[in-house]
Structure formats: C-alpha cells, structure tokens
Amino acid sequence: MRLIILSFILSSLLISKFCVAQNDYQYLPDYKGNWKTNVIVQERLSPYKLTAEEKKILLQKAETATQLIKIFPSFNPPRGMEMTAITEMRYLMDYEKVKLKPTTPLPLQLTISMGDYISYKGKTMVFPDKETYAHITLFYNNTEAVFNGYSLFSEKLYDQQGNQYYFEPTVYKTFDNATIYNNNEMMFIQPGKNLWVPVTAKQYLETLLYHYGKLIGEGHADNQMVLDNIKEELKNLQAEDQNKPAYWNTQFGSSLSNLAFEKTANTTAIVRFNPDYFDKSKPRTSIQLLVVEVGFHSYD
C-alpha cells in the first residue's frame, strides 16, 4: 500500500502544477526519516465537555494507534519521508446538528501525514506543499466520516430534526471485520449494528419542502416552481407508497424530486445515520465506530 501511495504521489506531482519545476526536485527515497507528534485540543470550539480523565484516555488511544503504525516495516524507521502524528480533539463536524447528550460518544481524530524528503537547490527538505502529503487518518466515533462524499445535495439536505440525508454508501470490498466503501473509507463497526436507516418516501418529500421553503425564505425566490411541484407530488403520494424506502432516480424522470420506490440499476437508496447505533450505556470514551482513510489530500 505504501508503494502504491508513493507511486501515485510521484506520478501525480509530475503531471500536476509542479511539472514546471520538476527538474528542481530530486526525491530522496533512502533518506532516513523522522517521526513528529502534534496534539491539538481546541476545547473552546468543542460542544463536548471533557474531563481530565477523558482527555487522558482519548490521548492514550491515539498514542496506542500511533505505535501500531510505527512498527510497520515501511515506517520503522521511515525512509524518504517525514511522518507526523497529529491527534485532534476539537469540534466535531457534526452537520447533522443532532442535540448532544451526556452519553454521546466523544470524537477523536488521528492523522499520520507522510511528507517526502527532497533535494531542492542543494538543500535537503520535506516537500513544502502539505496539501500533497499522503495520509492515514483514523476517525473515532465520527459519523460524518462514514458518509464522506455521499451528501444528497451539494448544499446538504437536512430534515426538520437536523438529520442529514445521504446516498447509501456502496461497498467496494468486504473483510471479516471491516468493509471498504467506494469513497475510500474502511469502516469498523459494532457487530449486528446498522450504521444507517432508510428514509421513507414521505419523509423525503416533506424534507424537500422544508429545504426549499427555507431557501425561499432566505430570498431565493427562483425555487418557488420546485417547491410547488414537490407540494403537488406529496399531495398525490399514494398511502401505500408513503412508508416505502425512498430512492433517487438517476435518470431524472418527470418529477423534480427524482423520487423512486424501488431499487434498480438506475436508483440509489436515500438514508440517514441510525440514531440507535451508539450504545449509550457505554462510557463516552469507548470506541464504537472507527473509520480509516488512506489517501492523498489533493487528489483524494
């Protein structure tokens, strides 16, 4: 995997905006690298009230994971790259706006970034553009990481309770205890638990009305035709269809909602995070969901 990542980085750099200066850079694949650590705790931005003991437990979990990554042969010691372990305990990007409860699991993020060593104009340095570093990121208890890339609308779609709607993630490959999805995320979940639940046809149409109503209220009057069309569709929704799972029709039919009632080659299920996924009887520091992302910042 490391060789694949490095190969992708090198080829991408050579055909990207850096190609004009490619002769100035000489990569140093055998240069003995270093490990660095950085802990970011931004409590003033966080809705979570962490105790000193909870902070200690979470930081220890991140340190344990870092040590596991450090013993990989390619990283022990790192060659040709500087590796930085960044532990973040801060505001969770909780776009669902679900009201936090005392039992809400605490989020944690550990990112291992890998910056290539280069020789540039006679000096040995780490490649200066941090946005191009390869990375391994572990998201603990972060539901937003689950649906990365699966937002229903570019501006996101929320119901009146603050739940965000998504396209159902599609599976790329499965293992005994983990699944990789097509958004390059590997998820480790609690056995027997569902990460998401279906949105019904009625819920979807009502949420569209709420969404476009808000836009019109904010001065976007050009959405009135869409709102009127969806009102009519909801009015004509048959009773037997109201509680059917909602699907997005990729063929764009006559309806502006793109609503479909069955799974076909041209439809995608509409879902939301399962509110009963997390076991609220467990300590807030327990890891109930782990999402692992391996990628390349600039090119995903």
Side-chain angles (χ1 to χ4, degrees), residues 80-99:
M81 57 188 168
E82 181 176 87
M83 304 190 68
T84 304
I86 306 168
T87 301
E88 298 181 72
M89 292 192 299
R90 56 183 177 81
Y91 175 69
L92 174 64
M93 302 296 282
D94 195 352
Y95 296 118
E96 296 168 319
K97 302 177 183 175
V98 176
K99 290 182 180 179

Side-chain angles (χ1 to χ4, degrees), residues 162-179:
N163 300 301
Q164 187 176 346
Y165 289 2
Y166 305 92
F167 292 119
E168 184 176 30
T170 53
V171 175
Y172 172 70
K173 190 172 183 180
T174 58
F175 298 91
D176 288 341
N177 61 345
T179 302

Side-chain angles (χ1 to χ4, degrees), residues 77-140:
R79 291 284 179 181
M81 57 188 168
E82 181 176 87
M83 304 190 68
T84 304
I86 306 168
T87 301
E88 298 181 72
M89 292 192 299
R90 56 183 177 81
Y91 175 69
L92 174 64
M93 302 296 282
D94 195 352
Y95 296 118
E96 296 168 319
K97 302 177 183 175
V98 176
K99 290 182 180 179
L100 295 170
K101 299 179 176 60
T103 53
T104 300
L106 296 169
L108 180 69
Q109 182 172 319
L110 170 65
T111 299
I112 308 294
S113 68
M114 295 165 269
D116 291 305
Y117 280 107
I118 60 171
S119 175
Y120 178 63
K121 295 184 178 180
K123 294 182 180 179
T124 298
M125 58 186 291
V126 179
F127 196 88
D129 193 338
K130 295 184 183 298
E131 294 303 312
T132 66
Y133 288 4
H135 70 282
I136 302 170
T137 301
L138 278 65
F139 299 95
Y140 299 83

Side-chain angles (χ1 to χ4, degrees), residues 102-250:
T103 53
T104 300
L106 296 169
L108 180 69
Q109 182 172 319
L110 170 65
T111 299
I112 308 294
S113 68
M114 295 165 269
D116 291 305
Y117 280 107
I118 60 171
S119 175
Y120 178 63
K121 295 184 178 180
K123 294 182 180 179
T124 298
M125 58 186 291
V126 179
F127 196 88
D129 193 338
K130 295 184 183 298
E131 294 303 312
T132 66
Y133 288 4
H135 70 282
I136 302 170
T137 301
L138 278 65
F139 299 95
Y140 299 83
N141 296 333
N142 187 331
T143 60
E144 187 62 25
V146 172
F147 298 102
N148 181 28
Y150 288 114
S151 292
L152 196 59
F153 290 172
S154 59
E155 67 269 27
K156 301 182 173 60
L157 180 66
Y158 303 96
D159 63 20
Q160 287 182 279
Q161 289 71 46
N163 300 301
Q164 187 176 346
Y165 289 2
Y166 305 92
F167 292 119
E168 184 176 30
T170 53
V171 175
Y172 172 70
K173 190 172 183 180
T174 58
F175 298 91
D176 288 341
N177 61 345
T179 302
I180 299 178
Y181 290 84
N182 281 340
N183 61 349
N184 298 322
E185 311 286 14
M186 176 182 283
M187 303 179 199
F188 296 83
I189 67 174
Q190 300 181 78
K193 293 266 189 159
N194 293 320
L195 273 173
W196 51 80
V197 292
V199 170
T200 69
K202 183 181 178 183
Q203 287 174 331
Y204 174 54
L205 291 177
E206 288 177 338
T207 297
L208 286 181
L209 288 180
Y210 171 68
H211 173 77
Y212 286 110
K214 276 187 65 177
L215 289 177
I216 292 170
E218 293 167 358
H220 301 282
D222 54 320
N223 289 285
Q224 187 63 53
M225 184 190 73
V226 180
L227 184 71
D228 292 341
N229 186 282
I230 293 171
K231 275 185 180 178
E232 190 67 21
E233 187 175 356
L234 180 59
K235 177 183 175 181
N236 295 327
L237 185 66
Q238 298 297 310
E240 61 269 24
D241 292 332
Q242 291 182 3
N243 292 319
K244 287 182 178 179
Y247 292 87
W248 175 275
N249 186 352
T250 59

Side-chain angles (χ1 to χ4, degrees), residues 16-72:
S16 71
K17 62 183 178 180
F18 309 107
C19 65
V20 294
Q22 60 183 325
N23 293 327
D24 293 333
Y25 298 114
Q26 179 186 353
Y27 288 89
L28 306 175
D30 296 321
Y31 191 87
K32 185 177 179 180
N34 295 305
W35 272 91
K36 293 183 177 181
T37 58
N38 186 15
V39 178
I40 302 172
V41 182
Q42 298 180 0
E43 287 185 83
R44 68 181 182 84
L45 298 178
S46 175
Y48 301 89
K49 305 297 183 182
L50 275 71
T51 67
E53 182 62 21
E54 285 175 332
K55 278 190 228 175
K56 180 180 177 181
I57 292 172
L58 289 177
L59 288 174
Q60 183 56 58
K61 290 179 185 294
E63 175 61 22
T64 299
T66 301
Q67 293 303 321
L68 287 173
I69 294 173
K70 277 186 175 182
I71 65 174
F72 266 61

